[in-house]
Amino acid sequence: IIAFEPHSIYSMRLAKKGQLLTHHKDRSILTLMSMDTVIEKYEEYLHAEMDLGDLVKTISSSRRDVFPVVDHQHRLVGILYLDNVRPIMFRQELYHRFKIAELMSEPVARLSINDSMDVVLITFDKTNAWTLPVVDGEGIFMGFVRKSHVLTNYRKTLADFSDE
């Protein structure tokens, strides 16, 4: 009787050491992560009726490069990327000419506060985005998730998981 082993000798050695990453282990790690561990809460909000001058005041005291644009109920209406306004943001003569509504863009996707990490990673892959907004069931802005933060958290969780 000939027995077949589904894994190579190399894979078997890694498995015995607990270093073999399988699809199941990958999914297990993702289930250990939650939106709470990767979301960035924001104190700075922009409103569509604000102008470029208001934006410059906001960013002068911030270290962020992306800002949520919300209505007065804090529902997300758009996103403003600093890179998109950099060419005009130092031209004071334009401070009252442009409204945030003209400078913001529609997010390529919105994550739900209840999304699993599987959904988060799939959404990042589909959109090629590096930063995505998170909203609740009513569209209220909850924060942003950065792909780099998710991947860093994944690596940390993986390391913790492998140590067990």
Side-chain angles (χ1 to χ4, degrees):
I1 296 176
I2 299 174
F4 290 98
E5 177 59 44
H7 302 289
S8 70
I9 292 172
Y10 176 71
S11 296
M12 287 177 12
R13 286 183 189 151
L14 287 175
K16 285 178 183 172
K17 291 181 187 177
Q19 296 174 343
L20 179 64
L21 295 182
T22 65
H23 180 68
H24 298 294
K25 190 170 187 177
D26 197 41
R27 285 206 179 271
S28 297
I29 291 163
L30 289 176
T31 61
L32 294 173
M33 296 171 56
S34 68
M35 189 65 81
D36 290 343
T37 62
V38 296
I39 193 170
E40 266 182 72
K41 305 286 185 175
Y42 266 59
E43 301 292 321
E44 303 105 340
Y45 299 97
L46 299 174
H47 297 283
E49 68 274 4
M50 294 169 79
D51 64 22
L52 181 60
D54 297 322
L55 171 65
V56 170
K57 284 181 205 161
T58 300
I59 64 173
S60 68
S61 61
S62 174
R63 301 178 69 137
R64 306 206 185 264
D65 60 346
V66 59
F67 294 88
V69 182
V70 299
D71 66 14
H72 293 287
Q73 287 78 40
H74 283 307
R75 285 188 301 258
L76 184 71
V77 295
I79 296 176
L80 189 128
Y81 296 95
L82 212 48
D83 284 347
N84 295 346
V85 296
R86 200 175 310 279
I88 62 168
M89 70 185 212
F90 297 111
R91 297 187 50 197
Q92 291 184 3
E93 71 274 14
L94 301 177
Y95 280 10
H96 302 294
R97 182 166 173 224
F98 290 103
K99 297 287 184 194
I100 298 298
E102 301 168 87
L103 303 170
M104 70 183 192
S105 45
E106 181 65 28
V108 294
R110 295 166 192 243
L111 297 171
S112 165
I113 194 71
N114 300 315
D115 282 344
S116 68
M117 286 301 108
D118 259 354
V119 170
V120 170
L121 288 175
I122 288 168
T123 306
F124 274 119
D125 283 346
K126 283 182 181 175
T127 62
N128 289 322
W130 284 94
T131 304
L132 290 171
V134 179
V135 295
D136 71 4
E138 272 84 62
I140 305 293
F141 176 76
M142 305 302 291
F144 281 108
V145 172
R146 294 181 188 270
K147 188 181 210 175
S148 58
H149 196 154
V150 172
L151 296 175
T152 298
N153 197 308
Y154 175 86
R155 284 191 294 271
K156 182 186 179 313
T157 306
L158 175 62
D160 294 346
F161 189 78
S162 296
D163 288 344
E164 293 176 1

